[in-house]
Structures are given as structure tokens and as C-alpha cells.
Amino acid sequence: MPTMISHRQPAVRRPLAAVALAIAAAAAPLPAAAQDAAGTGSTPRGATAPLSLNLAQAYRAALEQDAVIGAAEAAAAARRERLPQARAQLLPNVSANASRFRNDLESVQPGLAGQPVRSEQQYTSSSRALTIRQPLYRPFNFADYQQAKAQVEDANATLDKELQNVAVRVSGAYLEGLLAQDQLALVLAQKEAYTTQLDAARKRFAAGAGVRTDIDEAQARVDMTVAQELEARQNLDYTKRQLQVMVNAPIARLAPVDPDKLRATAPDPGALLRWTDRAEQASPELRALRAQLEAARFEIEKAQAGHKPTLDAIAQWSISDSDNVTRVNSRYDNKSIGIQLNVPLYAGGYVNSQVRQAVAEQERVGLALEATRRDLALRVEKEYRGLTEGALRIRALEQAVRSAETMVHSNRRSFEAGSRTLVDVLNAEEQRVTALRDLANARYLYMISRIRLRALAGEADEQAVQEINAWLQP
């Protein structure tokens, strides 16, 4: 089982032009057959040229350019700083302070004759001190350090979850784009077939061998495909835009699926339990919640530490000059070392309330972990069934496409022989296109189910993406 990297360093965000050139250099040229469906065009001077991407290239670009994963990396880096901050509270604390004052003292004292005697004295005083404090017994700080380690594990697991989601989001957007691309190609092919039938119906009618109804029926089908073409083009533009947001580069075309490479196979029926076990062990979502539960346990210890004493070792070296009016022009050099004990006695019930709050929070996280574990098992089963049922559905639809193509051919021959009407031919053509559309949709659902299942088990890495990418045309 692939191992996800927990401590992933934030990726360097490269400029759009640099990313575009890098992807363009790595991208292999795609066949020109789908250019009409892709909608290529000229690029203004100074603008980044639209790119032709396969899935692996889109995934690598998204790792560098996707704002969501960038924010997750920054959040993880920020939360990792909790550990050195908590560790610092257990290490020696060294402080130094210095002061210097100009003093102007005016005093009034009774004289021998009862008259007040005034005197004024000006002097300079200063002090310098170096203090070292080493915590010896601080249960709050020790629990905080242990909690920080759990919170860092939570941060790493959360980042891993976002990395898994990147593979799912990019694959989903890419496959949606392929589906929209296929749908547009099917609509264009259907439009061409209906237009051919319309021209034939007009010629037959002009020759006196046809009827007006055939022309009207074919024209209605052509008009419907025109509307469907507009919708398909808009959907294709939107799906490309979704992917463009992730890779931060304009998208021209996507590498289509190679049916000869895609071999949809159903997994072993007994593998569901193994997939569930793998997900429960390696799921970043469960890892994050387990870390949160551990952090909640140490939060209770931190709250209970409010009842416990603290003990510090202190060493100090201080130098003072003329520190008060009775010691003008005097200097003191003092070195001291000892321990300081602080015992809390009463806080008005504040500590007890904090303990109850921490216990309730631990219970909440524990129940959230159990709920997520149960839901994870359901999601694993759903995606597992998407593979098993998807493989069967693909094979059934492949047979349905072959049957539909045979039916189109038979209806055309029968129409030429006069035993079928033009409506029968048009309906057969529509049924063939529907079967092709359902087959494409089934293939994409099967492919995304593989990625989602790998993501639930914490395995949606570049290797998983490359597995899907191998099913695309070069």
C-alpha cells in the first residue's frame, strides 16, 4: 500500500506563464479529430497559449497552482509551530533587564531652633539583572507539549486529506470535461446524421418518392440537435473552466479515453472488507480525528493542572548602584540561586469548570470519530460497488452500442427497401447516440470510483492518478 508523506513541504507557487510553458513542453500532441469539439482559437499576443493536458499533467500542475492546496499547506505550516512553542515552555527562560535614573531629592527636616531645614540632593541610580528560570514541575506545560504533538499530527493528517482531495477534484473535473467533450462530439455526429437524412428526405420528396412528414420529422430532429449543441458547448466551456481554476492555466483540449486500453474489471468480491480495513487504518480523515481525540485528552490534563503546584529553579545575578537614598554612592553585587514554589488554593470554581468543559469536548470528538468511521465504511462500500457494478455496466453498454449500431444499419436498409419509415431510422440513430452517451458516462464513473476508493484508503497519490492516466490516449 503506498505511503502518503505526512510532512509535505509547501510547494513553490510558480507564475502562470512558467507553469504553462512547463506543461506545454511535457504535453504530447493529441489527435486532431476532436479539435472541432474542443473549440480551439487564436491566442492574443502576450497571453498564455491554451494547453493540451493529460490527467497526470493536470494533477502535477494542480499540486503547484491550486489555491486550496496552497492554503492547506500554509495552514499546516502554521499549526506545526505549536510544537516548538510548547517545547519552549519547558526549556530555560533567560531574561535581562537594566535601568538608570537621574534622581533629584528634596527633603525638609526640623532644625535646632524649630525652623525647617531644607536640603536638596541629586544622584544617579542604576541596576542590572540577569535571571535564569528553569521549570522543574509544571504539569500544565508538559500536558501542553504532549497536546501540541497531537495537534501537529492533526495538521499533517488534514494536509494529507487535502492532498487526497486534490487527486479526486482534479480527476473529477478532468473526467467531467471528457464527458462534456464526448457529449459535444456525439451531438455533432447526431446533427450530421440528421442533416444527411433531411437532405435525403428533401430529394425524395422533390422526386415524388417521399412525403412531407419525413422532411418535417428530420427538420425537427436537426433543430433539436442545434439546441443540444449550444448546451453541450456551454457545458464543455464550464468544465474546462473548473479545471483551469485548479491548474491556473487556460485549457485547450483534454486527452480522451482510449477504449482499447480501458479494461474495466470488477474487484474480488471478498476485497470489500480489506478495503474497509485499509481505510480505517490509513484514512487521513480518521487520523486527524484520532489526533484531535488525543489532543482533547491532554486538554483535560491541562485543565486539571490548575489544581497542581508548580516548581521552578531560579538563578539571578544583579548589580545595583545607589539603589535608594540611604545608599547613595554605594554598589551591590548580588548572586542568588534557589527554587520557587507556587501552590494554587482557590480560583472560585474556575478550574473545575474548565475540567468539565474539556471532558465534554473529548466526548464530542470521540463520538465524531465513531460517526466518521461508520460513514467511511459506507463510502468505501459505495465506491467499491461503483467498481463492481461499473465494470458490469460497461460491458453491458458495450454490447448495447453494438446492438444499436446493428439496428441503425438494419433500419437504413429496411427504409431503402420500403419496409421502414424515416422515423424508424431517426429513432434508431437516437438510440445509438443514447447508448454511446451512457457508455461514456459509465466509463467515467468507473474511473472516478477508482480514484475515490483510493482516496478513502489514503492512497490517492500520483501513482493512482497515473493508473487512470494510462487509460487515456497519448
Side-chain angles (χ1 to χ4, degrees), residues 288-303:
L289 285 170
R290 291 189 187 105
Q292 292 175 24
L293 184 62
E294 185 74 358
R297 184 174 69 84
F298 285 111
E299 185 66 25
I300 296 176
E301 292 190 14
K302 287 170 59 177

Side-chain angles (χ1 to χ4, degrees), residues 171-188:
S171 300
Y174 195 96
L175 295 177
E176 283 184 15
L178 287 183
L179 180 59
Q181 193 169 281
D182 286 352
Q183 288 177 340
L184 177 57
L186 288 173
V187 170
L188 293 175

Side-chain angles (χ1 to χ4, degrees), residues 316-333:
Q316 186 177 61
W317 179 23
S318 63
I319 301 174
S320 61
D321 297 315
S322 303
D323 60 345
N324 59 60
V325 67
T326 62
R327 298 175 181 177
V328 177
N329 298 325
S330 62
R331 172 189 173 96
Y332 294 89
D333 192 338

